[in-house]
Amino acid sequence: MRKYQDFLSPDQLKAFNAIGKCRTVESGEVAVSCSRCSHIEWKPLSCGNRNCPKCQNHNTSQWIDRQINKLLPVRYFMITFTLPLQFRVLARRLPKQIYSLFFLCVAGVLNDFGLNPKNLGAEIGMTMVLHTNSRSLHYHPQIHVIVPGGGIIRSRKQWKKKKGNYLFKTENLAGVFRARFLAELKN
């Protein structure tokens, strides 16, 4: 029977062991004394591992605050593109090529929609994340894209804010993405 150690990289194993010992006697102790009554109490040390939820809560909170301060003062939209079912077998066999093509098509479609004057008429920015499994852990490649509700018009050096409750029409995005992905796959 294989043990969990067989499935972890050395760095993962190191983090796993550190987190397991966090705030226990095994991680070491420090003496804490009261300045008024001289009472001494021994407290276990934390592991300090960046993956530890106990130790890094403060650092994580600070990081989140710094990221929030970087956000543009606009509404953000999340758009999800799913790899069509017919191409999932191919994606398992050639993940690097198919996922690269997937990202290129998603970025291209969104950029084109952003530049279209009927939609926004500006260059947009985006952050994309690939998820290969659904919540039930079935193979279901999808790209989640976070897009700020606005873009830059370079010719005027101006920011244009998106009006309305949606960024682009879902049906239009889906149709153009599907057609572009098929065309690129044939090339």
Side-chain angles (χ1 to χ4, degrees):
M1 185 161 162
R2 295 179 73 176
K3 297 180 181 177
Y4 69 88
Q5 294 97 326
D6 298 335
F7 299 102
L8 300 176
S9 70
D11 287 339
Q12 290 171 327
L13 188 58
K14 183 179 176 183
F16 185 82
N17 289 329
I19 292 168
K21 294 176 186 174
C22 186
R23 298 186 188 183
T24 66
V25 179
E26 287 183 72
S27 66
E29 293 181 303
V30 65
V32 179
S33 63
C34 176
S35 59
R36 283 185 258 157
C37 70
S38 299
H39 172 76
I40 297 175
E41 199 173 307
W42 288 90
K43 299 278 186 179
L45 296 172
S46 59
C47 67
N49 188 287
R50 68 183 183 95
N51 299 298
C52 181
K54 294 178 199 170
C55 295
Q56 298 305 316
N57 183 48
H58 178 69
N59 290 346
T60 301
S61 297
Q62 287 181 328
W63 181 86
I64 289 170
D65 289 342
R66 286 193 308 272
Q67 302 318 304
I68 287 172
N69 289 332
K70 293 178 185 178
L71 292 175
L72 297 168
V74 296
R75 188 173 176 187
Y76 281 78
F77 297 88
M78 186 172 101
I79 305 166
T80 302
F81 290 83
T82 303
L83 189 67
L85 181 65
Q86 302 87 328
F87 302 111
R88 293 182 192 166
V89 172
L90 187 60
R92 276 195 189 271
R93 219 175 306 139
L94 301 166
K96 187 174 182 180
Q97 294 86 344
I98 298 300
Y99 293 154
S100 294
L101 184 64
F102 194 14
F103 273 103
L104 285 171
C105 289
V106 168
V109 167
L110 287 173
N111 281 325
D112 290 349
F113 269 70
L115 289 169
N116 185 334
K118 291 180 182 177
N119 294 320
L120 182 63
E123 290 181 42
I124 61 171
M126 65 190 83
T127 300
M128 298 190 286
V129 177
L130 172 69
H131 288 186
T132 55
N133 292 20
S134 65
R135 287 185 183 177
S136 59
L137 300 179
H138 290 98
Y139 186 62
H140 189 259
Q142 57 200 300
I143 293 178
H144 298 278
V145 189
I146 304 294
V147 182
I152 296 172
I153 304 173
R154 286 197 191 265
S155 61
R156 292 193 238 152
K157 296 182 181 175
Q158 177 184 12
W159 174 262
K160 184 175 181 183
K161 190 173 179 179
K162 177 70 175 168
K163 295 176 184 159
N165 292 327
Y166 62 91
L167 190 59
F168 308 126
K169 289 186 179 179
T170 305
E171 303 82 27
N172 296 352
L173 274 176
V176 173
F177 167 73
R178 207 174 305 114
R180 186 164 303 174
F181 188 80
L182 279 171
E184 289 295 325
L185 198 57
K186 288 178 184 176
N187 290 338

